[in-house]
PDB file of all heavy atoms in Angstrom:
ATOM      1  N   GLY A 169      25.601  47.346 -16.669  1.00  0.00           N
ATOM      2  CA  GLY A 169      24.850  46.182 -17.148  1.00  0.00           C
ATOM      3  C   GLY A 169      23.378  46.533 -17.256  1.00  0.00           C
ATOM      4  O   GLY A 169      22.951  47.620 -16.868  1.00  0.00           O
ATOM      5  N   PRO A 170      22.586  45.586 -17.763  1.00  0.00           N
ATOM      6  CA  PRO A 170      21.207  45.905 -18.122  1.00  0.00           C
ATOM      7  C   PRO A 170      20.227  46.033 -16.956  1.00  0.00           C
ATOM      8  O   PRO A 170      19.113  46.492 -17.152  1.00  0.00           O
ATOM      9  CB  PRO A 170      20.802  44.743 -19.016  1.00  0.00           C
ATOM     10  CG  PRO A 170      21.713  43.633 -18.646  1.00  0.00           C
ATOM     11  CD  PRO A 170      22.997  44.251 -18.185  1.00  0.00           C
ATOM     12  N   GLY A 171      20.587  45.625 -15.753  1.00  0.00           N
ATOM     13  CA  GLY A 171      19.623  45.798 -14.665  1.00  0.00           C
ATOM     14  C   GLY A 171      19.835  44.816 -13.522  1.00  0.00           C
ATOM     15  O   GLY A 171      19.961  45.218 -12.374  1.00  0.00           O
ATOM     16  N   ASP A 172      19.900  43.515 -13.821  1.00  0.00           N
ATOM     17  CA  ASP A 172      20.221  42.525 -12.785  1.00  0.00           C
ATOM     18  C   ASP A 172      21.550  42.943 -12.161  1.00  0.00           C
ATOM     19  O   ASP A 172      22.551  43.102 -12.880  1.00  0.00           O
ATOM     20  CB  ASP A 172      20.334  41.143 -13.450  1.00  0.00           C
ATOM     21  CG  ASP A 172      20.741  40.050 -12.460  1.00  0.00           C
ATOM     22  OD1 ASP A 172      21.287  40.376 -11.387  1.00  0.00           O
ATOM     23  OD2 ASP A 172      20.533  38.874 -12.778  1.00  0.00           O
ATOM     24  N   ASP A 193      22.472  57.147 -13.788  1.00  0.00           N
ATOM     25  CA  ASP A 193      21.309  57.345 -14.648  1.00  0.00           C
ATOM     26  C   ASP A 193      20.078  56.602 -14.169  1.00  0.00           C
ATOM     27  O   ASP A 193      20.152  55.728 -13.327  1.00  0.00           O
ATOM     28  CB  ASP A 193      21.608  56.760 -16.030  1.00  0.00           C
ATOM     29  CG  ASP A 193      22.458  57.707 -16.844  1.00  0.00           C
ATOM     30  OD1 ASP A 193      22.527  58.878 -16.490  1.00  0.00           O
ATOM     31  OD2 ASP A 193      23.040  57.236 -17.833  1.00  0.00           O
ATOM     32  N   ARG A 194      18.993  56.839 -14.854  1.00  0.00           N
ATOM     33  CA  ARG A 194      17.723  56.184 -14.542  1.00  0.00           C
ATOM     34  C   ARG A 194      17.774  54.674 -14.748  1.00  0.00           C
ATOM     35  O   ARG A 194      17.145  53.917 -14.021  1.00  0.00           O
ATOM     36  CB  ARG A 194      16.656  56.809 -15.443  1.00  0.00           C
ATOM     37  CG  ARG A 194      15.353  56.069 -15.488  1.00  0.00           C
ATOM     38  CD  ARG A 194      14.303  56.892 -16.207  1.00  0.00           C
ATOM     39  NE  ARG A 194      13.065  56.153 -16.329  1.00  0.00           N
ATOM     40  CZ  ARG A 194      12.661  55.548 -17.444  1.00  0.00           C
ATOM     41  NH1 ARG A 194      13.395  55.615 -18.532  1.00  0.00           N
ATOM     42  NH2 ARG A 194      11.526  54.896 -17.466  1.00  0.00           N
ATOM     43  N   LEU A 195      18.534  54.227 -15.751  1.00  0.00           N
ATOM     44  CA  LEU A 195      18.513  52.797 -16.055  1.00  0.00           C
ATOM     45  C   LEU A 195      19.438  51.978 -15.159  1.00  0.00           C
ATOM     46  O   LEU A 195      19.473  50.760 -15.246  1.00  0.00           O
ATOM     47  CB  LEU A 195      18.871  52.569 -17.521  1.00  0.00           C
ATOM     48  CG  LEU A 195      17.800  53.030 -18.508  1.00  0.00           C
ATOM     49  CD1 LEU A 195      18.277  52.856 -19.933  1.00  0.00           C
ATOM     50  CD2 LEU A 195      16.497  52.268 -18.290  1.00  0.00           C
ATOM     51  N   LYS A 245      26.529  54.011 -15.909  1.00  0.00           N
ATOM     52  CA  LYS A 245      25.494  54.060 -16.951  1.00  0.00           C
ATOM     53  C   LYS A 245      24.863  52.702 -17.147  1.00  0.00           C
ATOM     54  O   LYS A 245      25.541  51.680 -17.034  1.00  0.00           O
ATOM     55  CB  LYS A 245      26.148  54.446 -18.275  1.00  0.00           C
ATOM     56  CG  LYS A 245      26.616  55.869 -18.312  1.00  0.00           C
ATOM     57  CD  LYS A 245      27.504  56.066 -19.519  1.00  0.00           C
ATOM     58  CE  LYS A 245      27.781  57.522 -19.732  1.00  0.00           C
ATOM     59  NZ  LYS A 245      26.608  58.257 -20.183  1.00  0.00           N
ATOM     60  N   GLY A 246      23.618  52.682 -17.523  1.00  0.00           N
ATOM     61  CA  GLY A 246      22.948  51.411 -17.819  1.00  0.00           C
ATOM     62  C   GLY A 246      23.601  50.735 -19.016  1.00  0.00           C
ATOM     63  O   GLY A 246      24.066  51.402 -19.940  1.00  0.00           O
ATOM     64  N   GLY A 247      23.661  49.407 -18.986  1.00  0.00           N
ATOM     65  CA  GLY A 247      24.199  48.659 -20.126  1.00  0.00           C
ATOM     66  C   GLY A 247      25.672  48.925 -20.327  1.00  0.00           C
ATOM     67  O   GLY A 247      26.466  48.857 -19.392  1.00  0.00           O
ATOM     68  N   ASP A 248      26.045  49.251 -21.554  1.00  0.00           N
ATOM     69  CA  ASP A 248      27.433  49.595 -21.880  1.00  0.00           C
ATOM     70  C   ASP A 248      27.506  51.105 -22.121  1.00  0.00           C
ATOM     71  O   ASP A 248      26.611  51.669 -22.747  1.00  0.00           O
ATOM     72  CB  ASP A 248      27.852  48.843 -23.155  1.00  0.00           C
ATOM     73  CG  ASP A 248      29.277  49.187 -23.537  1.00  0.00           C
ATOM     74  OD1 ASP A 248      30.199  48.508 -23.030  1.00  0.00           O
ATOM     75  OD2 ASP A 248      29.482  50.162 -24.303  1.00  0.00           O
ATOM     76  N   PRO A 249      28.591  51.753 -21.646  1.00  0.00           N
ATOM     77  CA  PRO A 249      28.647  53.214 -21.758  1.00  0.00           C
ATOM     78  C   PRO A 249      28.652  53.727 -23.204  1.00  0.00           C
ATOM     79  O   PRO A 249      28.258  54.867 -23.460  1.00  0.00           O
ATOM     80  CB  PRO A 249      29.965  53.587 -21.074  1.00  0.00           C
ATOM     81  CG  PRO A 249      30.478  52.371 -20.421  1.00  0.00           C
ATOM     82  CD  PRO A 249      29.724  51.188 -20.921  1.00  0.00           C
ATOM     83  N   TYR A 250      29.116  52.897 -24.124  1.00  0.00           N
ATOM     84  CA  TYR A 250      29.227  53.361 -25.509  1.00  0.00           C
ATOM     85  C   TYR A 250      28.065  52.927 -26.399  1.00  0.00           C
ATOM     86  O   TYR A 250      28.044  53.248 -27.582  1.00  0.00           O
ATOM     87  CB  TYR A 250      30.535  52.859 -26.125  1.00  0.00           C
ATOM     88  CG  TYR A 250      31.782  53.606 -25.661  1.00  0.00           C
ATOM     89  CD1 TYR A 250      33.052  53.045 -25.821  1.00  0.00           C
ATOM     90  CD2 TYR A 250      31.691  54.861 -25.078  1.00  0.00           C
ATOM     91  CE1 TYR A 250      34.199  53.719 -25.412  1.00  0.00           C
ATOM     92  CE2 TYR A 250      32.831  55.539 -24.653  1.00  0.00           C
ATOM     93  CZ  TYR A 250      34.082  54.972 -24.825  1.00  0.00           C
ATOM     94  OH  TYR A 250      35.201  55.636 -24.421  1.00  0.00           O
ATOM     95  N   VAL A 251      27.123  52.154 -25.872  1.00  0.00           N
ATOM     96  CA  VAL A 251      25.980  51.780 -26.702  1.00  0.00           C
ATOM     97  C   VAL A 251      24.850  52.763 -26.415  1.00  0.00           C
ATOM     98  O   VAL A 251      24.191  52.676 -25.369  1.00  0.00           O
ATOM     99  CB  VAL A 251      25.528  50.326 -26.424  1.00  0.00           C
ATOM    100  CG1 VAL A 251      24.294  49.982 -27.268  1.00  0.00           C
ATOM    101  CG2 VAL A 251      26.654  49.346 -26.715  1.00  0.00           C
ATOM    102  N   PHE A 252      24.675  53.705 -27.294  1.00  0.00           N
ATOM    103  CA  PHE A 252      23.684  54.774 -27.127  1.00  0.00           C
ATOM    104  C   PHE A 252      23.705  55.342 -25.705  1.00  0.00           C
ATOM    105  O   PHE A 252      22.670  55.646 -25.134  1.00  0.00           O
ATOM    106  CB  PHE A 252      22.276  54.284 -27.473  1.00  0.00           C
ATOM    107  CG  PHE A 252      22.187  53.739 -28.866  1.00  0.00           C
ATOM    108  CD1 PHE A 252      21.744  52.448 -29.098  1.00  0.00           C
ATOM    109  CD2 PHE A 252      22.584  54.510 -29.949  1.00  0.00           C
ATOM    110  CE1 PHE A 252      21.678  51.935 -30.389  1.00  0.00           C
ATOM    111  CE2 PHE A 252      22.531  54.002 -31.244  1.00  0.00           C
ATOM    112  CZ  PHE A 252      22.083  52.717 -31.463  1.00  0.00           C
ATOM    113  N   GLY A 253      24.905  55.468 -25.179  1.00  0.00           N
ATOM    114  CA  GLY A 253      25.007  55.917 -23.788  1.00  0.00           C
ATOM    115  C   GLY A 253      25.703  57.266 -23.664  1.00  0.00           C
ATOM    116  O   GLY A 253      25.898  57.765 -22.569  1.00  0.00           O
ATOM    117  N   ARG A 254      26.107  57.838 -24.748  1.00  0.00           N
ATOM    118  CA  ARG A 254      26.803  59.128 -24.787  1.00  0.00           C
ATOM    119  C   ARG A 254      28.114  59.116 -23.999  1.00  0.00           C
ATOM    120  O   ARG A 254      28.637  60.164 -23.616  1.00  0.00           O
ATOM    121  CB  ARG A 254      25.863  60.244 -24.310  1.00  0.00           C
ATOM    122  CG  ARG A 254      24.548  60.189 -25.073  1.00  0.00           C
ATOM    123  CD  ARG A 254      23.683  61.381 -24.859  1.00  0.00           C
ATOM    124  NE  ARG A 254      24.182  62.544 -25.575  1.00  0.00           N
ATOM    125  CZ  ARG A 254      23.459  63.660 -25.762  1.00  0.00           C
ATOM    126  NH1 ARG A 254      22.234  63.736 -25.304  1.00  0.00           N
ATOM    127  NH2 ARG A 254      23.975  64.689 -26.392  1.00  0.00           N
ATOM    128  N   GLY A 274      30.287  47.382 -20.267  1.00  0.00           N
ATOM    129  CA  GLY A 274      29.220  46.683 -19.548  1.00  0.00           C
ATOM    130  C   GLY A 274      28.458  45.791 -20.508  1.00  0.00           C
ATOM    131  O   GLY A 274      28.610  45.890 -21.726  1.00  0.00           O
ATOM    132  N   ILE A 275      27.635  44.927 -19.961  1.00  0.00           N
ATOM    133  CA  ILE A 275      26.775  44.096 -20.808  1.00  0.00           C
ATOM    134  C   ILE A 275      25.642  44.983 -21.304  1.00  0.00           C
ATOM    135  O   ILE A 275      24.876  45.524 -20.497  1.00  0.00           O
ATOM    136  CB  ILE A 275      26.189  42.921 -20.012  1.00  0.00           C
ATOM    137  CG1 ILE A 275      27.322  42.001 -19.548  1.00  0.00           C
ATOM    138  CG2 ILE A 275      25.168  42.147 -20.852  1.00  0.00           C
ATOM    139  CD1 ILE A 275      26.855  40.808 -18.745  1.00  0.00           C
ATOM    140  N   THR A 276      25.553  45.151 -22.598  1.00  0.00           N
ATOM    141  CA  THR A 276      24.498  46.017 -23.112  1.00  0.00           C
ATOM    142  C   THR A 276      23.145  45.299 -23.058  1.00  0.00           C
ATOM    143  O   THR A 276      23.069  44.080 -23.232  1.00  0.00           O
ATOM    144  CB  THR A 276      24.808  46.467 -24.555  1.00  0.00           C
ATOM    145  OG1 THR A 276      23.700  47.231 -25.024  1.00  0.00           O
ATOM    146  CG2 THR A 276      25.035  45.292 -25.498  1.00  0.00           C
ATOM    147  N   SER A 277      22.102  46.081 -22.835  1.00  0.00           N
ATOM    148  CA  SER A 277      20.750  45.493 -22.823  1.00  0.00           C
ATOM    149  C   SER A 277      20.432  44.888 -24.191  1.00  0.00           C
ATOM    150  O   SER A 277      19.650  43.955 -24.298  1.00  0.00           O
ATOM    151  CB  SER A 277      19.716  46.562 -22.462  1.00  0.00           C
ATOM    152  OG  SER A 277      19.670  47.565 -23.451  1.00  0.00           O
ATOM    153  N   ALA A 278      21.063  45.419 -25.236  1.00  0.00           N
ATOM    154  CA  ALA A 278      20.790  44.945 -26.592  1.00  0.00           C
ATOM    155  C   ALA A 278      21.187  43.471 -26.765  1.00  0.00           C
ATOM    156  O   ALA A 278      20.686  42.806 -27.658  1.00  0.00           O
ATOM    157  CB  ALA A 278      21.541  45.798 -27.603  1.00  0.00           C
ATOM    158  N   ILE A 279      22.061  42.978 -25.912  1.00  0.00           N
ATOM    159  CA  ILE A 279      22.420  41.551 -25.974  1.00  0.00           C
ATOM    160  C   ILE A 279      21.930  40.825 -24.716  1.00  0.00           C
ATOM    161  O   ILE A 279      21.181  39.860 -24.789  1.00  0.00           O
ATOM    162  CB  ILE A 279      23.945  41.383 -26.142  1.00  0.00           C
ATOM    163  CG1 ILE A 279      24.384  42.023 -27.474  1.00  0.00           C
ATOM    164  CG2 ILE A 279      24.328  39.901 -26.109  1.00  0.00           C
ATOM    165  CD1 ILE A 279      25.870  42.000 -27.726  1.00  0.00           C
ATOM    166  N   GLY A 281      19.778  41.733 -22.467  1.00  0.00           N
ATOM    167  CA  GLY A 281      18.323  41.828 -22.281  1.00  0.00           C
ATOM    168  C   GLY A 281      17.602  40.743 -23.065  1.00  0.00           C
ATOM    169  O   GLY A 281      16.650  40.127 -22.589  1.00  0.00           O
ATOM    170  N   THR A 302      19.118  52.849 -32.903  1.00  0.00           N
ATOM    171  CA  THR A 302      18.343  53.704 -32.015  1.00  0.00           C
ATOM    172  C   THR A 302      16.976  53.914 -32.661  1.00  0.00           C
ATOM    173  O   THR A 302      16.879  54.143 -33.865  1.00  0.00           O
ATOM    174  CB  THR A 302      19.015  55.065 -31.732  1.00  0.00           C
ATOM    175  OG1 THR A 302      18.039  55.916 -31.109  1.00  0.00           O
ATOM    176  CG2 THR A 302      19.522  55.751 -32.988  1.00  0.00           C
ATOM    177  N   PHE A 326      15.950  47.303 -31.702  1.00  0.00           N
ATOM    178  CA  PHE A 326      15.780  48.761 -31.568  1.00  0.00           C
ATOM    179  C   PHE A 326      15.766  49.131 -30.100  1.00  0.00           C
ATOM    180  O   PHE A 326      15.014  48.571 -29.309  1.00  0.00           O
ATOM    181  CB  PHE A 326      14.467  49.216 -32.219  1.00  0.00           C
ATOM    182  CG  PHE A 326      14.526  49.236 -33.721  1.00  0.00           C
ATOM    183  CD1 PHE A 326      14.290  48.078 -34.457  1.00  0.00           C
ATOM    184  CD2 PHE A 326      14.821  50.412 -34.401  1.00  0.00           C
ATOM    185  CE1 PHE A 326      14.345  48.090 -35.851  1.00  0.00           C
ATOM    186  CE2 PHE A 326      14.872  50.434 -35.792  1.00  0.00           C
ATOM    187  CZ  PHE A 326      14.647  49.271 -36.520  1.00  0.00           C
ATOM    188  N   LEU A 327      16.611  50.106 -29.750  1.00  0.00           N
ATOM    189  CA  LEU A 327      16.588  50.670 -28.404  1.00  0.00           C
ATOM    190  C   LEU A 327      15.855  52.009 -28.491  1.00  0.00           C
ATOM    191  O   LEU A 327      15.883  52.655 -29.551  1.00  0.00           O
ATOM    192  CB  LEU A 327      18.021  50.894 -27.895  1.00  0.00           C
ATOM    193  CG  LEU A 327      18.670  49.699 -27.164  1.00  0.00           C
ATOM    194  CD1 LEU A 327      18.809  48.505 -28.083  1.00  0.00           C
ATOM    195  CD2 LEU A 327      20.024  50.070 -26.590  1.00  0.00           C
ATOM    196  N   MET A 328      15.307  52.439 -27.406  1.00  0.00           N
ATOM    197  CA  MET A 328      14.602  53.735 -27.344  1.00  0.00           C
ATOM    198  C   MET A 328      13.544  53.840 -28.438  1.00  0.00           C
ATOM    199  O   MET A 328      13.328  54.911 -28.999  1.00  0.00           O
ATOM    200  CB  MET A 328      15.597  54.896 -27.501  1.00  0.00           C
ATOM    201  CG  MET A 328      16.635  54.937 -26.401  1.00  0.00           C
ATOM    202  SD  MET A 328      17.805  56.280 -26.624  1.00  0.00           S
ATOM    203  CE  MET A 328      18.922  55.588 -27.837  1.00  0.00           C
ATOM    204  N   GLY A 329      12.864  52.734 -28.727  1.00  0.00           N
ATOM    205  CA  GLY A 329      11.995  52.738 -29.895  1.00  0.00           C
ATOM    206  C   GLY A 329      10.501  52.755 -29.609  1.00  0.00           C
ATOM    207  O   GLY A 329       9.697  52.732 -30.535  1.00  0.00           O
ATOM    208  N   MET A 330      10.105  52.772 -28.340  1.00  0.00           N
ATOM    209  CA  MET A 330       8.684  52.582 -28.055  1.00  0.00           C
ATOM    210  C   MET A 330       7.799  53.692 -28.619  1.00  0.00           C
ATOM    211  O   MET A 330       6.690  53.424 -29.081  1.00  0.00           O
ATOM    212  CB  MET A 330       8.455  52.419 -26.557  1.00  0.00           C
ATOM    213  CG  MET A 330       8.977  51.101 -26.016  1.00  0.00           C
ATOM    214  SD  MET A 330       8.437  49.666 -26.990  1.00  0.00           S
ATOM    215  CE  MET A 330       6.790  49.439 -26.343  1.00  0.00           C
ATOM    216  N   ILE A 354      10.647  43.649 -24.914  1.00  0.00           N
ATOM    217  CA  ILE A 354      11.130  43.267 -23.574  1.00  0.00           C
ATOM    218  C   ILE A 354      11.228  44.522 -22.727  1.00  0.00           C
ATOM    219  O   ILE A 354      12.036  45.402 -23.003  1.00  0.00           O
ATOM    220  CB  ILE A 354      12.529  42.609 -23.657  1.00  0.00           C
ATOM    221  CG1 ILE A 354      12.547  41.537 -24.750  1.00  0.00           C
ATOM    222  CG2 ILE A 354      12.929  42.035 -22.300  1.00  0.00           C
ATOM    223  CD1 ILE A 354      13.967  41.126 -25.132  1.00  0.00           C
ATOM    224  N   ASN A 355      10.397  44.596 -21.710  1.00  0.00           N
ATOM    225  CA  ASN A 355      10.367  45.754 -20.823  1.00  0.00           C
ATOM    226  C   ASN A 355      11.137  45.452 -19.535  1.00  0.00           C
ATOM    227  O   ASN A 355      11.015  44.362 -18.982  1.00  0.00           O
ATOM    228  CB  ASN A 355       8.887  46.074 -20.520  1.00  0.00           C
ATOM    229  CG  ASN A 355       8.718  47.266 -19.608  1.00  0.00           C
ATOM    230  OD1 ASN A 355       8.155  47.142 -18.521  1.00  0.00           O
ATOM    231  ND2 ASN A 355       9.182  48.407 -20.021  1.00  0.00           N
ATOM    232  N   TRP A 356      11.929  46.389 -19.093  1.00  0.00           N
ATOM    233  CA  TRP A 356      12.766  46.215 -17.887  1.00  0.00           C
ATOM    234  C   TRP A 356      13.499  44.868 -17.912  1.00  0.00           C
ATOM    235  O   TRP A 356      13.437  44.088 -16.945  1.00  0.00           O
ATOM    236  CB  TRP A 356      11.960  46.358 -16.592  1.00  0.00           C
ATOM    237  CG  TRP A 356      11.617  47.777 -16.257  1.00  0.00           C
ATOM    238  CD1 TRP A 356      10.358  48.291 -16.152  1.00  0.00           C
ATOM    239  CD2 TRP A 356      12.518  48.868 -15.981  1.00  0.00           C
ATOM    240  NE1 TRP A 356      10.423  49.641 -15.836  1.00  0.00           N
ATOM    241  CE2 TRP A 356      11.726  50.021 -15.715  1.00  0.00           C
ATOM    242  CE3 TRP A 356      13.910  49.005 -15.928  1.00  0.00           C
ATOM    243  CZ2 TRP A 356      12.278  51.268 -15.415  1.00  0.00           C
ATOM    244  CZ3 TRP A 356      14.451  50.246 -15.634  1.00  0.00           C
ATOM    245  CH2 TRP A 356      13.636  51.356 -15.375  1.00  0.00           C
ATOM    246  N   ALA A 357      14.180  44.621 -19.004  1.00  0.00           N
ATOM    247  CA  ALA A 357      14.898  43.360 -19.174  1.00  0.00           C
ATOM    248  C   ALA A 357      15.883  43.100 -18.039  1.00  0.00           C
ATOM    249  O   ALA A 357      16.512  44.030 -17.542  1.00  0.00           O
ATOM    250  CB  ALA A 357      15.668  43.400 -20.489  1.00  0.00           C
ATOM    251  N   THR A 358      15.986  41.866 -17.647  1.00  0.00           N
ATOM    252  CA  THR A 358      16.886  41.317 -16.612  1.00  0.00           C
ATOM    253  C   THR A 358      16.521  41.744 -15.187  1.00  0.00           C
ATOM    254  O   THR A 358      17.152  41.318 -14.227  1.00  0.00           O
ATOM    255  CB  THR A 358      18.402  41.613 -16.835  1.00  0.00           C
ATOM    256  OG1 THR A 358      18.702  42.946 -16.428  1.00  0.00           O
ATOM    257  CG2 THR A 358      18.833  41.380 -18.269  1.00  0.00           C
ATOM    258  N   ARG A 359      15.548  42.623 -15.047  1.00  0.00           N
ATOM    259  CA  ARG A 359      15.113  42.977 -13.694  1.00  0.00           C
ATOM    260  C   ARG A 359      14.010  42.008 -13.287  1.00  0.00           C
ATOM    261  O   ARG A 359      13.380  41.374 -14.127  1.00  0.00           O
ATOM    262  CB  ARG A 359      14.507  44.375 -13.687  1.00  0.00           C
ATOM    263  CG  ARG A 359      15.500  45.407 -14.103  1.00  0.00           C
ATOM    264  CD  ARG A 359      15.716  46.366 -12.993  1.00  0.00           C
ATOM    265  NE  ARG A 359      16.353  47.555 -13.506  1.00  0.00           N
ATOM    266  CZ  ARG A 359      16.456  48.673 -12.815  1.00  0.00           C
ATOM    267  NH1 ARG A 359      15.965  48.755 -11.602  1.00  0.00           N
ATOM    268  NH2 ARG A 359      17.052  49.710 -13.313  1.00  0.00           N
ATOM    269  N   GLN A 362      10.793  42.219 -15.156  1.00  0.00           N
ATOM    270  CA  GLN A 362      10.855  42.043 -16.618  1.00  0.00           C
ATOM    271  C   GLN A 362       9.509  41.550 -17.165  1.00  0.00           C
ATOM    272  O   GLN A 362       8.887  40.650 -16.613  1.00  0.00           O
ATOM    273  CB  GLN A 362      11.939  41.016 -16.960  1.00  0.00           C
ATOM    274  CG  GLN A 362      11.921  40.552 -18.411  1.00  0.00           C
ATOM    275  CD  GLN A 362      13.079  39.597 -18.734  1.00  0.00           C
ATOM    276  OE1 GLN A 362      14.233  39.933 -18.505  1.00  0.00           O
ATOM    277  NE2 GLN A 362      12.773  38.428 -19.233  1.00  0.00           N
ATOM    278  N   SER A 382       5.695  49.970 -22.199  1.00  0.00           N
ATOM    279  CA  SER A 382       6.260  51.321 -22.242  1.00  0.00           C
ATOM    280  C   SER A 382       7.781  51.249 -22.167  1.00  0.00           C
ATOM    281  O   SER A 382       8.369  50.174 -22.219  1.00  0.00           O
ATOM    282  CB  SER A 382       5.694  52.121 -21.086  1.00  0.00           C
ATOM    283  OG  SER A 382       6.056  51.480 -19.898  1.00  0.00           O
ATOM    284  N   SER A 383       8.394  52.380 -22.032  1.00  0.00           N
ATOM    285  CA  SER A 383       9.846  52.478 -21.962  1.00  0.00           C
ATOM    286  C   SER A 383      10.288  52.158 -20.526  1.00  0.00           C
ATOM    287  O   SER A 383       9.529  52.454 -19.603  1.00  0.00           O
ATOM    288  CB  SER A 383      10.209  53.909 -22.343  1.00  0.00           C
ATOM    289  OG  SER A 383      11.558  54.113 -22.185  1.00  0.00           O
ATOM    290  N   PRO A 384      11.447  51.601 -20.286  1.00  0.00           N
ATOM    291  CA  PRO A 384      12.461  51.188 -21.250  1.00  0.00           C
ATOM    292  C   PRO A 384      12.191  49.780 -21.783  1.00  0.00           C
ATOM    293  O   PRO A 384      12.001  48.847 -21.006  1.00  0.00           O
ATOM    294  CB  PRO A 384      13.745  51.179 -20.414  1.00  0.00           C
ATOM    295  CG  PRO A 384      13.276  50.843 -19.036  1.00  0.00           C
ATOM    296  CD  PRO A 384      11.901  51.415 -18.899  1.00  0.00           C
ATOM    297  N   SER A 385      12.172  49.671 -23.099  1.00  0.00           N
ATOM    298  CA  SER A 385      11.942  48.362 -23.706  1.00  0.00           C
ATOM    299  C   SER A 385      12.857  48.160 -24.904  1.00  0.00           C
ATOM    300  O   SER A 385      13.271  49.126 -25.552  1.00  0.00           O
ATOM    301  CB  SER A 385      10.494  48.258 -24.200  1.00  0.00           C
ATOM    302  OG  SER A 385       9.598  48.181 -23.118  1.00  0.00           O
ATOM    303  N   LEU A 386      13.113  46.905 -25.175  1.00  0.00           N
ATOM    304  CA  LEU A 386      13.868  46.520 -26.367  1.00  0.00           C
ATOM    305  C   LEU A 386      12.869  45.965 -27.367  1.00  0.00           C
ATOM    306  O   LEU A 386      11.965  45.222 -26.992  1.00  0.00           O
ATOM    307  CB  LEU A 386      14.869  45.418 -26.006  1.00  0.00           C
ATOM    308  CG  LEU A 386      15.870  45.806 -24.918  1.00  0.00           C
ATOM    309  CD1 LEU A 386      16.303  44.588 -24.125  1.00  0.00           C
ATOM    310  CD2 LEU A 386      17.065  46.491 -25.546  1.00  0.00           C
ATOM    311  N   ILE A 387      13.051  46.321 -28.620  1.00  0.00           N
ATOM    312  CA  ILE A 387      12.210  45.742 -29.671  1.00  0.00           C
ATOM    313  C   ILE A 387      13.114  44.805 -30.465  1.00  0.00           C
ATOM    314  O   ILE A 387      14.160  45.229 -30.957  1.00  0.00           O
ATOM    315  CB  ILE A 387      11.644  46.848 -30.588  1.00  0.00           C
ATOM    316  CG1 ILE A 387      10.895  47.891 -29.743  1.00  0.00           C
ATOM    317  CG2 ILE A 387      10.742  46.251 -31.677  1.00  0.00           C
ATOM    318  CD1 ILE A 387      10.586  49.178 -30.503  1.00  0.00           C
TER     319      ILE A 387
HETATM  320  N1  LIG B 145      23.751  51.991 -22.812  1.00  0.00           N
HETATM  321  C1  LIG B 145      22.511  51.262 -22.735  1.00  0.00           C
HETATM  322  C2  LIG B 145      21.459  51.813 -23.663  1.00  0.00           C
HETATM  323  C3  LIG B 145      21.045  53.210 -23.351  1.00  0.00           C
HETATM  324  S1  LIG B 145      19.779  53.791 -24.411  1.00  0.00           S
HETATM  325  C4  LIG B 145      22.803  49.786 -23.012  1.00  0.00           C
HETATM  326  O1  LIG B 145      23.883  49.445 -23.439  1.00  0.00           O
HETATM  327  O2  LIG B 145      21.912  48.965 -22.755  1.00  0.00           O
HETATM  328  C5  LIG B 145      18.349  53.493 -23.466  1.00  0.00           C
HETATM  329  C6  LIG B 145      17.517  52.400 -24.070  1.00  0.00           C
HETATM  330  O3  LIG B 145      18.126  51.152 -23.826  1.00  0.00           O
HETATM  331  C7  LIG B 145      16.135  52.246 -23.500  1.00  0.00           C
HETATM  332  O4  LIG B 145      15.224  53.149 -24.086  1.00  0.00           O
HETATM  333  C8  LIG B 145      15.792  50.824 -23.857  1.00  0.00           C
HETATM  334  O5  LIG B 145      15.434  50.703 -25.192  1.00  0.00           O
HETATM  335  C9  LIG B 145      17.145  50.167 -23.698  1.00  0.00           C
HETATM  336  N2  LIG B 145      17.306  49.535 -22.391  1.00  0.00           N
HETATM  337  C10 LIG B 145      18.303  49.741 -21.526  1.00  0.00           C
HETATM  338  N3  LIG B 145      18.150  48.949 -20.447  1.00  0.00           N
HETATM  339  C11 LIG B 145      17.026  48.245 -20.650  1.00  0.00           C
HETATM  340  C12 LIG B 145      16.328  47.267 -19.910  1.00  0.00           C
HETATM  341  N4  LIG B 145      16.756  46.840 -18.730  1.00  0.00           N
HETATM  342  N5  LIG B 145      15.198  46.745 -20.448  1.00  0.00           N
HETATM  343  C13 LIG B 145      14.740  47.144 -21.632  1.00  0.00           C
HETATM  344  N6  LIG B 145      15.352  48.073 -22.358  1.00  0.00           N
HETATM  345  C14 LIG B 145      16.487  48.621 -21.894  1.00  0.00           C
END
Side-chain angles (χ1 to χ4, degrees):
D172 177 340
D193 281 343
R194 167 170 176 258
L195 290 176
K245 290 168 169 290
D248 179 88
Y250 284 162
V251 178
F252 303 123
R254 308 191 74 167
I275 296 180
T276 176
S277 64
I279 298 177
T302 167
F326 285 84
L327 271 62
M328 298 179 280
M330 290 311 279
I354 312 165
N355 180 240
W356 284 118
T358 79
R359 298 242 197 167
Q362 169 176 305
S382 60
S383 175
S385 289
L386 301 150
I387 305 166

